[in-house]
Amino acid sequence: RCLGSKPKGTPGTTSTASGGAGVMQGTQLFPPAPEADRPESPRKVDVRPSSSASGRGMETPRPSSQQSEMGSSTGMARRHSGFNLQLNRQTTVFKEKKPKKRETPKCLKLLGAFMDGPYMSLVSVSLTLWALLGDDIRLLATNKPADSAFNIITLVCLSFFAIEIVLASICKQDYIFGFFFILDCVSTASLVLDLTWVIDNLTSTDLESDSAGGLQTAQVGAFGRIVRVLRLIRIVKIYKAVSEKFFAELKKNAVQAGEEEDEWDRDDDTKDKNGEDKPRESAVGKKLVMSTTRRVIILVLTMLLIYPLLSVSSFHENITSGAFGVDDVFEQFTTVWQTADAGSNASTADRQNYELSLLRYLYYHNWFLYNNACNGNEDSSCSQYKSHIFWLGFAGKAKTYPQLKPYTAVARPNSSVVATWDTQASNANTVYQLGSYPQEAQDSLSNSWDIDCMYGGWKHLGASLLKEKIYGTVDYVVRCPHDLRHTEHFAMRPKQITQTQFEDYHIVFFYDARPYVKADAGNNMLLTGFICLVLTLATMLFTKDANQLVLRPVDSMIEKVNVIRDNPLAAMKLADDEFKSEQIRKHRAAKKGIYEVWLDRFHLGIMARSAEWTYAQLCGSEQDDTAMMETAVLEKTIIKLGSLLALGFGEAGASIVADNMQGLDSAGVNAMVPGSKIECIIGSARICDFSTATEVLQGKVMTFVNQIAEIVHGLVNEFHGAPNKNSGDRFLLIWRLGTFSPHQQMRLADMAMISFIRILGCCHNSKVLAEYREHPGLMQRLGSSCRVNLTFGLHSGWAIEGAVGSEFKIDASYLSPNVSIAESIEDATRIYNVSLIASETVVGCCSKKMAGMCRLIDKVHMKGSKDPFTLFTFDLDWYRVKVKEFPTKLEWSVRQRFKARQIMESAKEKKWAEDLDPVQTFILDSQDVNCMRKLYTEEFLQLFNMGYQNYSQGEWEVAQRLLRETQAKFGFDDGPSGALLAFMAAESRGSDSIGILEAPPTWTGVRKL
């Protein structure tokens, strides 16, 4: 629609047969711009040429198989059908099939993203904390009836972690059967030990192996605590990610008090935010971090496992007060029982000795004293022990409850004796306080011992001091020992008796170990937190130096290499970002002394320096001396090499760099990458009188060219073009159309025209280039009115983008007949004496506003083009542009150039904004452009149009009169009018000397140029 469209209103008006004045009516001078909503006509797969009366020649519709490749949205009907058709048929010549990488299925990617997502992480952290602390919370805050609820929660955690392991094995590489896989499996399996029915079956309550069962219980508990430490691995991994994010946000949002806002403190508005902000972890970094973490974990777990085995316990069960006292009580009871069993009453002294021994033993391990008077009183002597008697009675292996009842009847003390002893014990002023019993406990002790319990396979009959609730003292009723968890009680039985006596009958005292279990659970929670802290700090300290000196620089380098590999043109952005980081570090380091003085004024300097040193030791610091590290030098070298690649190869060479950096199997370089066919707008700019300038300036000609190139390249880049090749006096400039929509292509065509117009204006108002007007050598060779001037040509079509050259030297460029046509169009500016000429393929793509300002000057047939096409110019009188003076002189430096690039990049992005009209903003509202177009009035354009239409239709005599009038009436020499007059004079069959011009009989309105 754009490149092949024929301008409406082309030659179609005739003149009088007598050769009188031809009157042009109803003609349309400017071609209409394509409308985005114009329906496309269906294309047919047909290569047969179709001719038309208007001389459009052959037009080759593109086969449907090529529409997707070339972009059907461009809607550009190609000329040069023969070459174009042959290239379309041989598209495979320019494309090399590469082996496809094995891509991860989308479902696995989504699963991996879900596994690493915030919701999954939140649930995992919550359940991990519960797995670490849940069992201790159960022992610390609840009693045995609540175990069922805790078992359900433990099963939920077990199921969640098992599912997590399965999903991680599916979606994460190198996880299954790896180190962390084994740790996760072991830590998940360790949750089984938190199930009460499992641990109850593992621990023995058989009275025949009572001591062995206690040892087994302790070993299982210790093993469970150690294995539970493995679950801290989850906390370490989560803490690492959270800490990195926290410190990054802290560093980003840190605002120092009293600091004046500086340009380096503000966020960079031009920073790209649509990509991955966080650098990807390199394979080296990942391997080293995993290896270091693995060693730290193994070290800590080995210490936890080996240290208890090498330590000697100072606890001896048989030399405690409970073990000694139970033998004394049973010995006194045996004396009383033997007398009672013989059928006689025991002596008063024996009875008193027994009751004294029993009550002293009970009050020495007074449950009520510890849980009332000693609770929270660490200075009290009774607070030294955390287990006290709550149940007493008799047990026998083969005895029945009726057979045990006589023993309990003899063993229970008299109520009056208990009351008297309680009064004496409570009033005694002894070092070790004995305390008192509440009345309910005294009654339980002096009344019948009739509570029967089955424990360890043996029948037990006795009394419980906690058989009923006592306000403010007993809130959980314990009638039998099995009402408590197996870890919350233990039994004291006489040891100084024979095995036969032990199995026949013996007295037994059960101790309430809940205070000890709660204290142990609290200590376990502190130990868990301490181990978590140790693991985290150890991992950070072990990896700090490696991260700071090697891994972070390596990760940063690999990330930059990946960015350059994906988009080689992004290297310049990396260089700007790196320079900004350097300036920020220098800026903050320079201001650091101010804050130290301020803090020292309030005597806070040493605290700030201590905090800074601690942070540096744990998390690493950015010191200036790291800039001289080899890793820093290598990183900056990568950025510089990437920037030089981007500058040297440009947009055309981006695919060469990207293709060579994609391959990891070999270090070889294949510069001869097959080319690719693209649709683009091709611009050619030429420096006028360049050979003369070269001879005069000689060694300074490079500076001369670079000063012009800075304007040309800068404005072309600002208007979304790509400078490609500088060949002496000529610049090749490209606007890639790609897969842009018709509206975007129209905007690119407008910006291509605008960039050339503004380049011309900037070259003539530049004070730097204006200095060459007074150069003596140039004035001598070119005259006193010499100026630095450029001419431009614009054409649109296909081109092959790729490497041109050999293994010794290549250039990234574009090959196509359309490139030659663009250069030929630029050469035509000397024939028509204008600054800018654009072909109909470009003007047809422009907006109506831009196309309406272009003047149709001729229809020509050029070498390289099979079909003729029309030429348009944008009228500009650059002699009217005045040199701009700036009030201050800018001293260019690296920092100033960085700021200039940031401003230009921001301005470049704004030109894509939908609310910006580039033609209105940069052409109609521009003072320089309006000044250059002041001479070209509407009357002049209409008069030239009538002259051109008569010229096109063969009425050369009328055309001669009209075109001469355009030069005489408006007071300036119009280049296109003079070119048409000169051509008609040279080609006319008549005599120009007598004013009679006649078109040749073969004239079709097309000039061979």
Side-chain angles (χ1 to χ4, degrees):
R1 292 194 304 274
C2 297
L3 299 183
S5 60
K6 177 181 178 181
K8 294 183 179 180
T10 48
T13 306
T14 59
S15 63
T16 60
S18 61
V23 181
M24 303 300 300
Q25 298 177 354
T27 59
Q28 182 175 346
L29 175 62
F30 308 116
E35 300 180 3
D37 57 350
R38 182 181 300 170
E40 291 190 6
S41 59
R43 297 171 181 251
K44 297 182 179 181
V45 183
D46 190 2
V47 298
R48 292 176 298 176
S50 59
S51 60
S52 62
S54 60
R56 294 181 61 188
M58 296 176 60
E59 181 173 307
T60 307
R62 185 183 300 117
S64 59
S65 61
Q66 297 296 326
Q67 290 181 11
S68 59
E69 178 186 354
M70 305 307 299
S72 59
S73 61
T74 60
M76 298 181 179
R78 288 293 162 266
R79 302 188 185 272
H80 333 300
S81 59
F83 187 83
N84 193 11
L85 179 60
Q86 182 179 2
L87 185 64
N88 284 341
R89 291 175 175 174
Q90 299 176 354
T91 306
T92 55
V93 174
F94 301 101
K95 294 189 176 181
E96 178 182 0
K97 292 185 178 179
K98 297 182 179 180
K100 293 184 178 180
K101 296 182 179 179
R102 185 176 180 182
E103 296 184 354
T104 305
K106 186 176 181 180
C107 58
L108 293 184
K109 290 182 180 179
L110 295 176
L111 182 59
F114 172 74
M115 293 290 293
D116 296 332
Y119 301 107
M120 190 71 173
S121 299
L122 179 62
V123 176
S124 179
V125 170
S126 302
L127 294 182
T128 299
L129 292 175
W130 179 263
L132 291 171
L133 305 175
D135 193 57
D136 293 327
I137 294 174
R138 176 178 69 90
L139 297 175
L140 184 64
T142 66
N143 291 302
K144 188 175 181 179
D147 287 353
S148 299
F150 281 82
N151 289 335
I152 294 174
I153 299 176
T154 301
L155 290 175
V156 172
C157 293
L158 186 64
S159 303
F160 176 84
F161 291 144
I163 295 173
E164 185 182 24
I165 291 173
V166 173
L167 295 180
S169 301
I170 295 174
C171 66
K172 292 185 178 181
Q173 296 181 355
D174 302 329
Y175 174 77
I176 189 170
F177 302 124
F179 178 75
F180 288 100
F181 171 80
I182 297 175
L183 288 184
D184 288 342
C185 290
V186 173
S187 61
T188 302
S190 67
L191 285 172
V192 177
L193 297 178
D194 288 351
L195 299 173
T196 56
W197 59 77
V198 175
I199 198 67
D200 288 344
N201 291 327
L202 291 177
T203 56
S204 174
T205 57
D206 189 3
L207 296 185
E208 294 181 352
S209 57
D210 188 56
S211 59
L215 179 61
Q216 183 182 9
T217 301
Q219 291 176 345
V220 170
F223 177 76
R225 286 192 296 271
I226 293 173
V227 172
R228 206 182 313 161
V229 174
L230 295 172
R231 305 171 199 169
L232 290 169
I233 309 307
R234 301 175 181 271
I235 297 295
V236 173
K237 294 188 290 186
I238 294 171
Y239 178 80
K240 178 184 176 184
V242 172
S243 62
E244 289 180 353
K245 183 177 181 181
F246 171 76
F247 286 121
E249 291 293 332
L250 184 64
K251 187 179 295 184
K252 178 181 178 182
N253 299 326
V255 178
Q256 297 171 324
E259 180 180 356
E260 183 180 357
E261 186 180 11
D262 189 86
E263 58 184 323
W264 298 115
D265 295 328
R266 295 191 294 265
D267 290 336
D268 185 8
D269 295 333
T270 62
K271 183 177 180 181
D272 185 13
K273 296 183 179 180
N274 58 358
E276 296 178 353
D277 292 332
K278 190 169 77 172
R280 291 173 289 182
E281 190 176 16
S282 65
V284 176
K286 183 178 180 181
K287 185 71 174 178
L288 184 56
V289 168
M290 289 183 61
S291 178
T292 304
T293 305
R294 184 186 303 122
R295 285 173 172 79
V296 171
I297 293 170
I298 293 175
L299 176 62
V300 174
L301 294 182
T302 302
M303 292 174 60
L304 292 174
L305 289 170
I306 300 300
Y307 178 76
L309 301 178
L310 300 179
S311 61
V312 179
S313 176
S314 61
F315 174 78
H316 298 281
E317 180 183 354
N318 294 330
I319 63 173
T320 61
S321 62
F324 177 80
V326 71
D327 283 312
D328 181 66
V329 172
F330 188 66
E331 182 180 354
Q332 297 297 332
F333 172 78
T334 303
T335 303
V336 175
W337 173 253
Q338 289 176 352
T339 304
D341 189 44
S344 59
N345 293 328
S347 63
T348 304
D350 292 339
R351 185 70 187 180
Q352 289 178 351
N353 290 336
Y354 161 70
E355 291 177 343
L356 176 64
S357 176
L358 175 65
L359 293 176
R360 182 186 295 116
Y361 184 74
L362 291 175
Y363 275 75
Y364 192 87
H365 304 92
N366 190 345
W367 189 95
F368 301 97
L369 176 64
Y370 178 84
N371 289 276
N372 289 302
C374 290
N375 193 13
N377 186 8
E378 297 295 335
D379 296 332
S380 177
S381 58
C382 59
S383 63
Q384 299 176 8
Y385 308 102
K386 298 185 183 301
S387 54
H388 299 82
I389 298 173
F390 73 94
W391 197 95
L392 69 161
F394 286 84
K397 183 177 182 180
K399 298 288 187 179
T400 61
Y401 292 122
Q403 292 173 340
L404 292 174
K405 193 169 185 178
Y407 302 107
T408 61
V410 174
R412 68 182 180 87
N414 190 277
S415 59
S416 59
V417 175
V418 173
T420 303
W421 171 264
D422 185 84
T423 303
Q424 295 175 355
S426 60
N427 295 327
N429 188 16
T430 57
V431 175
Y432 186 87
Q433 299 179 16
L434 298 179
S436 64
Y437 273 18
Q439 188 61 45
E440 293 84 353
Q442 295 181 31
D443 295 340
S444 299
L445 190 61
S446 59
N447 292 336
S448 177
W449 296 2
D450 55 357
I451 299 178
D452 55 287
C453 304
M454 178 64 70
Y455 184 82
W458 290 25
K459 294 181 176 61
H460 291 65
L461 185 64
S464 172
L465 303 179
L466 308 178
K467 69 177 182 180
E468 57 181 325
K469 289 186 177 181
I470 302 176
Y471 179 76
T473 304
V474 179
D475 55 357
Y476 177 65
V477 175
V478 182
R479 291 182 55 84
C480 290
H482 56 72
D483 290 336
L484 298 177
R485 302 182 181 101
H486 70 281
T487 57
E488 293 178 342
H489 68 272
F490 62 92
M492 282 295 177
R493 306 173 189 272
K495 297 294 192 301
Q496 302 299 321
I497 58 177
T498 63
Q499 183 65 28
T500 304
Q501 176 65 52
F502 183 85
E503 294 179 357
D504 184 24
Y505 75 93
H506 61 269
I507 196 168
V508 58
F509 296 90
F510 281 93
Y511 284 72
D512 183 4
R514 283 179 294 177
Y516 171 79
V517 171
K518 291 180 179 180
D520 185 59
N523 292 337
N524 285 337
M525 295 175 69
L526 295 177
L527 178 63
T528 300
F530 174 74
I531 295 174
C532 179
L533 181 63
V534 168
L535 280 174
T536 303
L537 293 180
T539 302
M540 293 176 61
L541 292 175
F542 270 74
T543 59
K544 181 182 76 70
D545 293 335
N547 285 335
Q548 182 177 352
L549 299 178
V550 180
L551 293 184
R552 289 176 185 170
V554 169
D555 288 345
S556 180
M557 285 186 284
I558 293 176
E559 179 64 21
K560 289 176 173 59
V561 170
N562 289 334
V563 171
I564 296 174
R565 179 176 62 184
D566 296 336
N567 182 14
L569 300 180
M572 295 298 296
K573 182 68 166 56
L574 293 178
D576 287 343
D577 292 342
E578 183 67 19
F579 175 77
K580 182 177 180 180
S581 300
E582 294 173 0
Q583 294 299 316
I584 290 174
R585 288 195 294 268
K586 292 178 181 179
H587 170 76
R588 291 179 177 173
K591 285 193 173 184
K592 187 176 180 181
I594 300 176
Y595 305 120
E596 290 180 349
V597 173
W598 184 83
L599 291 172
D600 289 337
R601 184 182 303 173
F602 296 96
H603 307 286
L604 299 175
I606 187 171
M607 296 177 59
R609 286 188 286 270
S610 300
E612 182 180 359
W613 180 86
T614 304
Y615 175 81
Q617 293 300 316
L618 294 179
C619 305
S621 61
E622 297 179 354
Q623 301 293 341
D624 291 338
D625 56 355
T626 58
M628 301 306 296
M629 291 287 181
E630 288 81 355
T631 52
V633 173
L634 182 58
E635 182 177 357
K636 296 180 187 301
T637 302
I638 291 174
I639 295 176
K640 291 180 179 179
L641 290 175
S643 300
L644 292 175
L645 283 175
L647 289 173
F649 281 91
E651 189 169 347
S655 60
I656 302 174
V657 179
D659 288 349
N660 278 275
M661 295 185 69
Q662 291 293 337
L664 300 178
D665 54 343
S666 174
V669 176
N670 179 22
M672 308 309 297
V673 177
S676 59
K677 189 176 182 181
I678 64 169
E679 297 291 341
C680 57
I681 296 175
I682 305 166
S684 178
R686 184 181 59 86
I687 304 173
C688 298
D689 302 314
F690 180 74
S691 59
T692 303
T694 304
E695 294 176 3
V696 173
L697 298 176
Q698 294 185 359
K700 296 182 179 180
V701 72
M702 285 293 183
T703 304
F704 172 72
V705 174
N706 291 338
Q707 289 170 343
I708 298 175
E710 187 171 9
I711 297 176
V712 174
H713 290 180
L715 284 169
V716 168
N717 179 74
E718 183 179 347
F719 285 92
H720 293 271
N724 176 250
K725 182 171 60 176
N726 300 357
S727 179
D729 61 343
R730 194 179 295 275
F731 299 93
L732 179 61
L733 312 162
I734 301 295
W735 282 263
R736 297 168 61 104
L737 298 178
T739 57
F740 289 111
S741 65
H743 176 72
Q744 292 173 326
Q745 291 182 13
M746 180 186 70
R747 199 177 187 90
L748 281 173
D750 285 347
M751 288 194 286
M753 294 284 293
I754 293 171
S755 65
F756 280 178
I757 296 169
R758 293 186 65 84
I759 289 171
L760 185 65
C762 289
C763 286
H764 288 279
N765 68 18
S766 170
K767 185 177 180 181
V768 175
L769 297 182
E771 295 177 357
Y772 291 100
R773 301 178 188 178
E774 301 176 359
H775 192 283
L778 294 177
M779 293 176 64
Q780 181 180 3
R781 297 286 298 274
L782 301 176
S784 59
S785 61
C786 65
R787 286 194 178 193
V788 178
N789 189 30
L790 282 80
T791 54
F792 309 92
L794 270 175
H795 186 58
S796 181
W798 60 268
I800 303 301
E801 179 187 73
V804 179
S806 66
E807 295 292 340
F808 302 97
K809 177 66 174 70
I810 63 169
D811 288 323
S813 187
Y814 298 86
L815 297 181
S816 171
N818 296 306
V819 176
S820 301
I821 293 173
E823 295 177 352
S824 299
I825 291 175
E826 186 279 322
D827 290 336
T829 57
R830 283 170 283 186
I831 298 176
Y832 295 95
N833 195 22
V834 292
S835 298
L836 170 61
I837 295 180
S839 67
E840 67 176 22
T841 58
V842 176
V843 178
C845 272
C846 292
S847 63
K848 291 182 178 179
K849 193 178 295 185
M850 174 59 76
M853 290 186 286
C854 296
R855 177 164 51 129
L856 176 63
I857 60 175
D858 209 346
K859 186 172 185 178
V860 300
H861 192 288
M862 284 188 175
K863 183 179 180 181
S865 173
K866 194 166 185 177
D867 298 326
F869 54 87
T870 53
L871 297 180
F872 294 82
T873 185
F874 194 93
D875 294 307
L876 297 167
D877 182 13
W878 42 266
Y879 270 104
R880 292 178 170 270
V881 180
K882 297 181 180 181
V883 178
K884 287 188 177 181
E885 295 288 342
F886 294 94
T888 58
K889 184 178 181 181
L890 181 63
E891 295 293 337
W892 279 108
S893 62
V894 177
R895 178 170 177 174
Q896 294 295 343
R897 290 189 179 275
F898 165 78
K899 294 170 64 176
R901 284 196 298 270
Q902 298 298 307
I903 295 172
M904 292 173 63
E905 189 68 24
S906 178
K908 179 180 178 180
E909 293 299 325
K910 291 179 181 178
K911 288 178 175 55
W912 271 120
E914 291 295 333
D915 56 346
L916 176 68
D917 185 355
V919 178
Q920 182 69 36
T921 303
F922 301 108
I923 300 296
L924 299 179
D925 296 341
S926 173
Q927 293 182 358
D928 288 342
V929 177
N930 290 330
C931 178
M932 289 188 289
R933 290 181 59 83
K934 187 175 182 180
L935 293 177
Y936 301 95
T937 61
E938 187 69 23
E939 182 182 359
F940 165 79
L941 295 176
Q942 291 295 339
L943 186 60
F944 175 84
N945 177 40
M946 290 189 293
Y948 170 76
Q949 295 296 341
N950 282 276
Y951 155 79
S952 177
Q953 293 295 324
E955 298 292 339
W956 284 13
E957 183 178 353
V958 179
Q960 180 187 36
R961 179 174 56 81
L962 294 173
L963 293 176
R964 283 178 177 176
E965 187 177 353
T966 60
Q967 291 186 312
K969 185 176 180 180
F970 296 95
F972 67 94
D973 187 13
D974 180 47
S977 299
L980 296 181
L981 288 172
F983 174 75
M984 288 188 294
E987 299 293 330
S988 173
R989 292 192 304 170
S991 175
D992 185 38
S993 61
I994 61 176
I996 300 175
L997 296 179
E998 184 177 353
T1002 59
W1003 174 251
T1004 60
V1006 178
R1007 174 181 179 180
K1008 187 175 182 181
L1009 194 64

